[in-house]
Amino acid sequence: MSEDMMENAANQESRNGKQSSEEACCRHKKAAPREEQELKQMKNRLSRMVGQLNGIGKMLDENRYCGDILIQVAAVESALKSFASLVLQGHMETCVVDEIQKGNTEVVEEVVELVKKFM
């Protein structure tokens, strides 16, 4: 998803009365509890995806074969889905568990909606 598309989605959520991802994790906390090593690994994954996207841009500049470009697009999509899966898993193991333990079962609805976005 491009930065413009993500910004539009965040703005749409704000207009719908929902908090954007920049406002809070889990709609309840200002930051997610991530270890330094985990954060470093996540940033490395993102850097690799950015590199892949830049590579696709170069392939376009070089008028490379469409099939080769599509293979790279599929690789980026796969990497992004894997990244999202890890973020969702971490969210469920930390933020969601914490909220349920506090008695807030409304967080389950949030998780269901998040999972739907990846189906």
Side-chain angles (χ1 to χ4, degrees):
M1 185 181 284
S2 73
E3 288 182 11
D4 290 338
M5 289 172 40
M6 289 190 310
E7 184 175 291
N8 288 341
N11 289 339
Q12 182 65 34
E13 284 186 16
S14 293
R15 286 191 295 271
N16 290 339
K18 298 178 183 176
Q19 292 177 323
S20 74
S21 60
E22 293 175 356
E23 290 176 304
C25 170
C26 315
R27 298 185 202 164
H28 306 285
K29 296 181 183 179
K30 292 287 182 188
R34 293 188 182 95
E35 298 292 325
E36 188 175 328
Q37 182 66 24
E38 178 188 13
L39 185 59
K40 183 179 177 182
Q41 289 173 341
M42 291 173 77
K43 287 186 172 191
N44 286 341
R45 281 177 175 257
L46 284 175
S47 293
R48 282 194 299 272
M49 285 183 273
V50 168
Q52 287 177 300
L53 289 169
N54 288 333
I56 293 170
K58 288 178 185 175
M59 292 174 80
L60 291 172
D61 291 341
E62 296 168 357
N63 282 325
R64 298 276 296 274
Y65 179 63
C66 299
D68 293 340
I69 293 170
L70 290 170
I71 288 169
Q72 293 305 310
V73 169
V76 173
E77 285 181 328
S78 177
L80 190 56
K81 285 180 183 179
S82 176
F83 179 81
S85 178
L86 287 174
V87 173
L88 181 60
Q89 179 180 352
H91 177 60
M92 293 178 74
E93 291 173 349
T94 58
C95 302
V96 175
V97 169
D98 289 346
E99 288 302 311
I100 290 173
Q101 288 175 343
K102 292 176 186 175
N104 178 9
T105 57
E106 290 177 14
V107 74
V108 173
E109 182 180 328
E110 174 190 333
V111 171
V112 169
E113 292 304 313
L114 286 170
V115 170
K116 284 180 184 179
K117 292 178 190 255
F118 295 101
M119 296 178 121

